[in-house]
Amino acid sequence: MYDELYQAWKHEVTEPTLGFLPRDFYERIFRYLRKMAEENTSTDNKSLKTTLLEKEDSYVKRMLGELLWARYKKLVKFATQTQKLSVDLLTLEEIQIFESFVPFTEAYHKFAKSLLHSSTRKATQEPRKRITLRFSNTVPQIIGADMKPYGPFAVEDLASLPVQNAKIFVKQGLAVIVDVI
C-alpha cells in the first residue's frame, strides 16, 4: 500500500493533471493506517520495529495529506471551470463530493452570467412582470433575482414580486398567487 500511495502522491504533487485512483483507494489507506496503529500498540515501545512503524505512519500521513490537498485543488479547478471530468479518475468518496459540488458551481456561473447580462440591459427596457402573492407562512427577508431585498413576510401578507421569485415561493408552498382585478 505504501508504494501505491507514494506513486499517487508523486503524480498529484508533480503533474498538473488529475491522476487515477482506484475506487477503494481511501478505504484501503484507512485499513493500512489502522493496521499500522494496531501493530504499533502490540510491540515494545523501544523496539526498532516500533520506531520504523512510527516513521512509516508519519510519512504515510504526510503524503496522504498532500495528496488530498493536491487532488482537492485540481477538483475545485475542474468544477469552477465547468470542465468535464472523467469519473474513472475518482474514488467513491470523491465522486459523491464532486457530484454535490458541480451543481453549486453551475448555478453560481449561471447566476453570475445572469447578473452581468442584466446589468448591461438598457434602462428604457420595460420593467419585468410581477405577481401578487399572499403568504401562507412566515418568510425571512430574501434577495430577489433582481438583486433587491424583499420581505420579511408574515402569514397573510400580500406582496408584489418579480415572476422568478414568486414562482419559487409558490412551488415551495410558502405563498399562493392572488388575482388582482
Side-chain angles (χ1 to χ4, degrees):
M1 189 70 231
Y2 186 91
D3 291 336
E4 186 178 358
L5 173 62
Y6 176 76
Q7 291 304 318
W9 167 81
K10 185 176 175 183
H11 176 88
E12 296 302 338
V13 298
T14 61
E15 300 294 327
T17 59
L18 188 66
F20 167 79
L21 287 182
R23 293 266 192 260
D24 64 344
F25 181 80
Y26 295 124
E27 182 183 331
R28 289 186 297 119
I29 285 287
F30 174 77
R31 286 194 311 253
Y32 176 62
L33 285 167
R34 190 173 57 200
K35 182 181 174 191
M36 278 194 307
E38 288 170 0
E39 285 182 31
N40 200 0
T41 58
S42 67
T43 58
D44 179 22
N45 284 343
K46 296 180 181 170
S47 72
L48 177 61
K49 183 176 181 179
T50 302
T51 304
L52 292 174
L53 283 170
E54 287 173 354
K55 284 287 186 191
E56 184 176 355
D57 183 71
S58 171
Y59 291 146
V60 166
K61 287 179 179 173
R62 191 188 99 237
M63 281 191 295
L64 182 59
E66 290 177 11
L67 170 87
L68 289 166
W69 181 243
R71 287 183 70 83
Y72 169 79
K73 291 189 296 187
K74 291 174 185 180
L75 288 170
V76 167
K77 186 176 178 181
F78 267 104
T80 57
Q81 294 177 353
T82 60
Q83 296 178 3
K84 295 297 178 195
L85 174 66
S86 172
V87 293
D88 294 337
L89 299 174
L90 305 178
T91 65
L92 291 173
E93 298 85 358
E94 290 171 335
I95 290 170
Q96 290 174 337
I97 294 166
F98 196 71
E99 284 176 348
S100 65
F101 188 68
V102 169
F104 165 77
T105 57
E106 288 173 350
Y108 197 84
H109 283 285
K110 185 177 179 182
F111 158 73
K113 185 177 178 181
S114 170
L115 181 62
L116 292 170
H117 178 69
S118 67
S119 68
T120 59
R121 291 182 179 201
K122 294 182 181 177
T124 59
Q125 216 174 11
E126 74 177 56
R128 293 185 174 202
K129 286 187 136 190
R130 298 174 75 81
I131 294 178
T132 302
L133 298 178
R134 180 178 51 82
F135 285 85
S136 53
N137 289 301
T138 57
V139 176
Q141 184 179 34
I142 61 138
I143 301 298
D146 57 359
M147 300 309 291
K148 294 181 183 176
Y150 294 96
F153 303 105
V155 175
E156 299 297 324
D157 277 357
L158 295 175
S160 175
L161 299 172
V163 173
Q164 195 173 5
N165 297 332
K167 285 181 179 179
I168 293 170
F169 287 125
V170 171
K171 185 177 180 181
Q172 292 180 350
L174 300 172
V176 293
I177 298 173
V178 175
D179 288 331
V180 180
I181 301 175

